[in-house]
């Protein structure tokens, strides 16, 4: 079985663990990153089907990571779900509240990938 792969990027280890477990239980393959640099490296190596991105990352930050993802030839079309409500991204970027229940993330990822 070829499961869809999600890259979960969040600075908070407890949030990463909770969301990662929820996505895995829903049948997704999940990898995680705690900052923008490791996320970009992981995304380039693993080519995820979707990226869940906490915009409030340590420097260089989520906004810079998002821009780098969109400039990267191999990643520019990878769907990104932002969790925190950053107003600097286009309206077409799926955004959920940082304090959302995990089910909102699962619902959004599932909608994007189906």
């Amino acid at each position: 079985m070829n499961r869809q792969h999600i890259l979960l990027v969040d600075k908070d280890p407890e949030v990463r663990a909770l969301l990662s477990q929820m996505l895995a239980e829903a049948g997704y393959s999940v990898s995680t990153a705690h900052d923008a640099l490791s996320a970009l490296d992981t995304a380039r190596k693993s080519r995820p089907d979707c990226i869940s991105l906490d915009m409030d990352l340590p420097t260089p930050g989520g906004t810079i990571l998002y821009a780098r993802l969109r400039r990267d030839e191999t990643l520019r079309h990878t769907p990104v779900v932002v969790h925190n409500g950053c107003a600097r991204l286009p309206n077409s970027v799926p955004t959920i509240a940082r304090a959302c229940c995990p089910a909102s993330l699962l619902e959004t990822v599932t909608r994007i990938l189906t």
Side-chain angles (χ1 to χ4, degrees):
M1 180 170 127
N2 189 9
R3 300 188 304 164
Q4 290 178 305
H5 178 227
I6 311 299
L7 171 57
L8 177 65
V9 186
D10 198 295
K11 69 181 180 301
D12 185 325
E14 291 177 9
V15 171
R16 278 196 316 272
L18 173 71
L19 296 178
S20 179
Q21 179 181 352
M22 177 205 55
L23 290 166
E25 288 174 357
Y28 294 103
S29 167
V30 182
S31 57
T32 63
H34 66 283
D35 63 27
L37 298 178
S38 63
L40 190 57
D41 184 54
T42 300
R44 285 178 174 152
K45 289 177 182 172
S46 67
R47 305 283 304 273
D49 296 298
C50 183
I51 299 171
S52 171
L53 174 59
D54 170 15
M55 294 302 283
D56 188 23
L57 294 174
T59 302
T63 304
I64 299 297
L65 172 58
Y66 183 83
R68 288 179 181 172
L69 289 168
R70 291 301 163 240
R71 284 193 307 263
D72 188 289
E73 281 295 318
T74 60
L75 299 169
R76 72 170 27 143
H77 299 293
T78 303
V80 176
V81 176
V82 170
H83 46 102
N84 90 341
C86 178
R88 290 180 239 168
L89 295 174
N91 289 337
S92 60
V93 177
T95 305
I96 57 179
R98 173 81 171 105
C100 75
C101 76
S104 295
L105 174 61
L106 179 59
E107 177 184 315
T108 304
V109 167
T110 300
R111 181 174 34 85
I112 288 170
L113 293 176
T114 55

